[in-house]
Amino acid sequence: MNRLKFRNGDKIDAIGLGTWKSEPGEVGQAVREAIKIGYRHIDCAWIYQNEAEIGQAFQEAFTEGDVKREDLFVTSKLWNSFHAAEDVEKAVMESLKALQLDYLDLYLIHWPIAHQPGVVFSEDAAGFAPIEDYPIADTWKAMEALVKKDLVKHIGVSNFNIPKLQRLLETAEIAPEMNQVESHPLLAQNELLQFCSDNQILYTAYSPLGSRDRSAGMKGSDEPDMFENEVLKGIADNHGVHPAQILIKWAEGRGTCVIPKSVNPARLKQNLDSANIALSENEMNEINGLDKGYRFLDGKFWEREGGHYTAENLWNN
Ligand code: A2P
């Protein structure tokens, strides 16, 4: 499997395990199984509300000798309600405590969106704060302080577009090292990937399979089904694999990290094994041809009557 290199030479496996939507009661056994079969990169977040169970699974894996802490790469993310600089350390400590770890390998600002402190979700605009109230540059300084305190090894962002990365690069002392964004053949984000690569920012593809297990409220009525896409199906048939595996291989093959979520042992294995598929240049090009800038997570779920955030300013400003 491809491994990506941070600026200091640290490495991260291209294929990691996604844990968004992995329910308490099933996420622990999924993480245990994943580590047993060779996953070394686990993607978590405070807001997924399952970090305590994942922490329990890590402890069991360490105790039973499945993996050593230093061989595991663990990511977590700063939720929108902790953007005030004085709240950032408190937030990472909550994740560390739940995950039963004394450092994270990577900590990301989850969204370029600020909530009022203490507001986890809000149905109306009042629960949000304009980003000017909690400038990303200030939140970032607090992220940098976590590196200096050895609480996290690397820091980055998620859901940032090129202008937002450019603004952050202007003030950052430690340049962001990762940008995690939605990415799959229908949303290849070639320009963003190029920008990241030019600036030594690694890139992780989330929802690489189209996150079909999202709640109905976060789903459009006429979403494409990538598993039924004729091009992907044809290539999958040629290799005798599931289209999900072609999606994962495409992401790994173009030099990004990719974090497919599964709680099913057979699918966890399939997904990790995707690295062994050999896609020809022609096949990669055919898949590249599917890009249409389609977002499964369109960002409209951040829009509120009279609110500060719109899909337009999220993705385009
Ligand atoms: P499950 O957890 O039951 O395996 P994403 O990573 O884009 O969020 O997608 C996750 C969804 O894709 C989940 O519904 C997950 O189901 C499903 N999934 C994960 N791996 C595979 C696979 N190899 N084949 C089919 N479906 C998969």
Side-chain angles (χ1 to χ4, degrees), residues 37-50:
I37 64 173
Y39 283 82
R40 292 294 176 262
H41 165 188
I42 314 287
D43 183 82
C44 311
W46 183 91
I47 195 59
Y48 301 161
Q49 301 181 346
N50 55 12

Side-chain angles (χ1 to χ4, degrees), residues 2 8-9 29 36 87 91 97 117 134 153 159 169 183 204 216 218 220 227 237 244 260 262 264 271 282 297 308:
N2 194 24
N8 72 347
Q29 63 81 23
K36 273 206 181 98
D87 288 341
K97 185 166 179 236
Y134 299 102
K153 290 199 185 292
N159 297 298
L169 285 166
S183 181
T204 295
M218 283 187 91
F227 295 173
D237 285 348
S262 182
N264 173 286
N271 295 350
N282 256 352
L297 289 141
H308 312 288

Side-chain angles (χ1 to χ4, degrees), residues 21 207-213 227 242 244 259-264 267 270-271:
K21 308 176 261 73
S207 296
L209 311 179
S211 67
R212 56 214 300 113
D213 53 347
F227 295 173
H242 190 280
I259 47 168
K261 170 265 176 185
S262 182
V263 290
N264 173 286
R267 291 193 282 276
Q270 271 188 342
N271 295 350

Side-chain angles (χ1 to χ4, degrees), residues 36-170:
K36 273 206 181 98
I37 64 173
Y39 283 82
R40 292 294 176 262
H41 165 188
I42 314 287
D43 183 82
C44 311
W46 183 91
I47 195 59
Y48 301 161
Q49 301 181 346
N50 55 12
E51 287 189 325
E53 191 171 323
I54 296 173
Q56 192 57 39
F58 287 161
Q59 271 314 303
E60 289 166 17
F62 298 148
T63 310
E64 291 182 21
D66 294 344
V67 71
K68 294 204 211 83
R69 170 65 188 99
E70 60 269 30
D71 295 328
L72 202 59
F73 191 103
V74 182
T75 302
S76 185
K77 311 187 191 86
L78 178 83
W79 186 238
N80 306 348
S81 46
F82 299 111
H83 275 218
E86 62 273 21
D87 288 341
V88 171
E89 185 172 330
K90 182 173 84 186
V92 81
M93 292 312 293
E94 284 191 17
S95 283
L96 285 172
K97 185 166 179 236
L99 292 165
Q100 302 190 43
L101 301 176
D102 50 18
Y103 70 90
L104 291 173
D105 297 278
L106 176 64
Y107 199 46
L108 307 177
I109 295 181
H110 205 149
W111 287 90
I113 287 178
H115 292 181
Q116 296 294 350
V119 176
V120 175
F121 278 114
S122 179
E123 292 298 328
D124 53 48
F128 291 78
I131 202 68
E132 296 73 29
D133 285 6
Y134 299 102
I136 292 292
D138 295 351
T139 307
W140 190 254
K141 281 213 178 324
M143 297 284 284
E144 292 172 334
L146 303 181
V147 179
K148 292 172 189 155
K149 286 190 170 179
D150 288 330
L151 293 170
V152 308
K153 290 199 185 292
H154 301 279
I155 49 176
V157 293
S158 182
N159 297 298
F160 274 46
N161 62 358
I162 294 175
K164 288 182 175 72
L165 287 172
Q166 274 169 329
R167 288 196 290 271
L168 177 53
L169 285 166
E170 278 168 21

Side-chain angles (χ1 to χ4, degrees), residues 200-262:
Q200 289 185 284
I201 300 170
L202 301 180
Y203 173 113
T204 295
Y206 77 63
S207 296
L209 311 179
S211 67
R212 56 214 300 113
D213 53 347
R214 266 168 301 137
S215 62
M218 283 187 91
K219 273 184 133 169
S221 51
D222 53 355
E223 290 191 351
D225 182 346
M226 293 195 288
F227 295 173
E228 293 301 324
N229 179 285
E230 288 306 325
V231 170
L232 296 167
K233 256 171 61 175
I235 297 174
D237 285 348
N238 277 344
H239 291 267
V241 299
H242 190 280
Q245 296 177 272
I246 300 298
L247 290 166
I248 295 166
K249 179 64 204 187
W250 173 81
E252 186 249 19
R254 71 200 281 255
T256 73
C257 281
V258 54
I259 47 168
K261 170 265 176 185
S262 182

